[in-house]
Amino acid sequence: MLQASHSRLRKHVFACIVVLSVPLIVNVYVTIGFSVKKANALRRNDNIEDSIEAMIDSEDVTMTTPWLLVSRSIANKTIKTAKEFWSVSHSLNICSSSPIMLVGRLNIDLSDNTNFTFHKEYLDIISGGTWKPRDCFARQRVAIIIPFRDRRKHLEQLQYYLIPMLKRQQLNFRFFVVEQNGNNTFNKGLIMNAAFAEVRKIEDFDCFVFHDVDMIPEDDRNIYTCTDAPKHMSPALDKFGYRLPYMQLVGGVLSMKPDVFIAVNGYSNLYWGWGAEDDDMAARIKFKNLGIVRPPLTTGRYRMIKHSKREMNPAKIRMFLLKTVKNRFMKDGLNSVQYKTVFVKLTPLFTHIMVDVGEPPKDTNKITSMMTQT
Ligand code: BGC
């Protein structure tokens, strides 16, 4: 009798234990599940804070039963901790202006011994050609604008050296390659204006670097950031014996803050063919009294990739345009640029902007008469 009642008691106790432990097991299971989901969400999304908010807001976990409520409170604690962690990483120190990873003079080899299509430094570049340092807050967000046509190999060579260098400089950067559609005479100034306008629709940048595709930097101490005044970054070019050929040269690589680019009304849209659109820019800078900043010749060094020169802009037109900059530049430039965007595509290493800029004026007299009217 006593034995029977003991055995019933044992059964009851066992049943109680089972009943009581179910919520506990479910709780542990749900908590682990929640953490796994959260971890996956964190991995999927760069912005930890957003993904945590999304987890809380999502209907992923139904928080109706008591044990799930317990789960939620545990989860909330985890979330708070993650948020604290994230707010700490939000208060990252600003990156150094001369990072310790810089190596100085670079060893440039443009021969076919190198495979320029791949570099291990490309592995963490985000589609569209974006990168930013993880352990410090980049000093500037920099848009690298590359005017382009038919120069794929040069683009690969440039990025092969420039991407690792910009990473060592700890900048938040994105590459934009702006290509002129069709076969009409190239108009570099116009497509750089178009790129500036298009990029501003996509993202905010502190600094724009207008970069010829054939200019390979030779020293990573030449930091790709903007100063208040326009910065001519390529004063020492191999082609010119590493000396500045004339004081007003701003061609090759030029960095400008967006408000400065707007203040000079960007580049002229009237230079069809090779030459002088950069001299026109120098004149704009001069008329706005902005001055030109340059790195020392020891670091502002570039190697120019050899190539056949583009179709020239006739000297007569170039000279005429350069004489008229003062009266023209606030009417001819960013505020008057006309183009059609053919497409904007993300590729692994750059954002590709294709623009249609139409045809150059048929005869040179038309340009000179346009100029006389302005
Ligand atoms: C041209 C510029 C060019 C410079 C250096 C000048 O004659 O007008 O466009 O950047 O030479 O090549």
Side-chain angles (χ1 to χ4, degrees):
M1 178 76 182
L2 195 62
Q3 221 172 350
S5 83
H6 266 155
S7 125
R8 238 176 295 131
L9 187 65
R10 260 203 305 275
K11 273 184 194 151
H12 277 130
V13 169
F14 181 71
C16 276
I17 289 170
V18 169
V19 168
L20 286 175
S21 52
V22 166
L24 197 70
I25 291 163
V26 173
N27 187 13
V28 168
Y29 177 78
V30 171
T31 307
I32 291 170
F34 190 92
S35 309
V36 168
K37 274 186 190 162
K38 184 156 75 67
N40 286 340
L42 297 186
R43 257 196 296 278
R44 271 197 307 273
N45 193 334
D46 232 357
N47 190 333
I48 294 176
E49 198 161 357
D50 279 354
S51 48
I52 291 168
E53 293 300 349
M55 284 300 293
I56 296 173
D57 292 341
S58 79
E59 295 300 307
D60 258 353
V61 183
T62 320
M63 306 219 181
T64 46
T65 49
W67 54 84
L68 281 172
L69 281 175
V70 173
S71 240
R72 171 156 194 161
S73 92
I74 294 167
N76 275 342
K77 266 191 211 130
T78 323
I79 286 160
K80 208 172 150 229
T81 322
K83 271 192 165 178
E84 275 157 12
F85 164 78
W86 184 239
S87 64
V88 170
S89 44
H90 257 312
S91 60
L92 286 173
N93 286 337
I94 193 144
C95 302
S96 162
S97 55
S98 47
I100 48 167
M101 299 80 104
L102 298 185
V103 295
R105 202 59 66 80
L106 308 179
N107 189 13
I108 308 286
D109 177 7
L110 297 175
S111 72
D112 286 338
N113 297 334
T114 316
N115 170 16
F116 293 107
T117 57
F118 176 75
H119 197 298
K120 64 179 177 12
E121 295 287 352
Y122 295 167
L123 293 173
D124 60 350
I125 300 289
I126 297 164
S127 170
T130 301
W131 185 86
K132 66 177 177 188
R134 296 223 155 243
D135 48 2
C136 63
F137 194 79
R139 301 184 84 80
Q140 289 187 7
R141 288 162 300 170
V142 184
I144 313 285
I145 310 283
I146 304 174
F148 177 88
R149 183 148 79 186
D150 288 342
R151 305 272 285 275
R152 185 81 215 183
K153 175 92 183 280
H154 296 174
L155 181 60
E156 283 167 5
Q157 290 172 319
L158 172 61
Q159 290 202 297
Y160 186 85
Y161 288 106
L162 193 49
I163 286 178
M165 167 167 157
L166 295 178
K167 288 172 83 174
R168 290 196 298 276
Q169 294 186 353
Q170 297 186 311
L171 298 171
N172 179 354
F173 61 83
R174 178 162 173 180
F175 279 86
F176 294 91
V177 171
V178 57
E179 181 169 0
Q180 182 175 326
N181 199 30
N183 294 319
N184 287 328
T185 313
F186 199 57
N187 189 328
K188 194 159 84 173
L190 198 163
I191 69 170
M192 289 198 278
N193 285 340
F196 182 84
E198 289 306 297
V199 168
R200 300 258 294 174
K201 291 180 198 163
I202 299 172
E203 203 178 326
D204 276 339
F205 288 94
D206 306 306
C207 179
F208 284 75
V209 180
F210 299 93
H211 207 301
D212 282 359
V213 70
D214 50 11
M215 298 285 285
I216 310 293
E218 289 190 61
D219 199 303
D220 68 4
R221 290 166 294 180
N222 189 12
I223 307 288
Y224 273 57
T225 47
C226 280
T227 43
D228 286 341
K231 179 161 63 163
H232 179 227
M233 302 187 51
S234 53
L237 188 56
D238 61 346
K239 184 175 116 170
F240 299 131
Y242 295 105
R243 284 198 212 101
L244 190 64
Y246 56 100
M247 278 313 286
Q248 286 307 306
L249 179 68
V250 294
V253 186
L254 177 67
S255 78
M256 286 172 112
K257 289 193 172 174
D259 53 337
V260 173
F261 191 74
I262 292 166
V264 298
N265 198 19
Y267 284 90
S268 167
N269 300 307
L270 299 175
Y271 290 78
W272 295 87
W274 183 91
E277 79 293 331
D278 50 345
D279 302 321
D280 186 292
M281 170 57 85
R284 289 165 187 248
I285 292 169
K286 185 176 124 211
F287 292 129
K288 281 282 177 184
N289 286 321
L290 293 168
I292 299 167
V293 170
R294 289 193 174 90
L297 294 179
T298 44
T299 57
R301 287 170 67 95
Y302 284 80
R303 187 173 306 175
M304 184 184 260
I305 307 173
K306 289 195 178 55
H307 59 93
S308 48
K309 225 180 213 173
R310 290 186 272 126
E311 186 189 335
M312 300 274 282
N313 187 355
K316 186 177 142 200
I317 296 185
R318 275 186 280 146
M319 291 309 133
F320 184 82
L321 287 173
L322 286 177
K323 276 191 209 143
T324 56
V325 181
K326 194 172 185 180
N327 296 327
R328 176 174 42 84
F329 80 100
M330 287 318 286
K331 291 175 242 164
D332 158 32
L334 191 57
N335 64 3
S336 62
V337 63
Q338 288 187 11
Y339 64 93
K340 282 194 199 111
T341 307
V342 181
F343 61 72
V344 177
K345 275 186 199 160
L346 301 188
T347 80
L349 296 183
F350 56 85
T351 301
H352 188 182
I353 303 174
M354 180 70 88
V355 288
D356 193 331
V357 302
E359 290 177 30
K362 287 275 178 302
D363 62 74
T364 54
N365 291 336
K366 195 164 166 207
I367 294 191
T368 39
S369 77
M370 271 164 63
M371 291 304 89
T372 334
Q373 286 159 24
T374 58

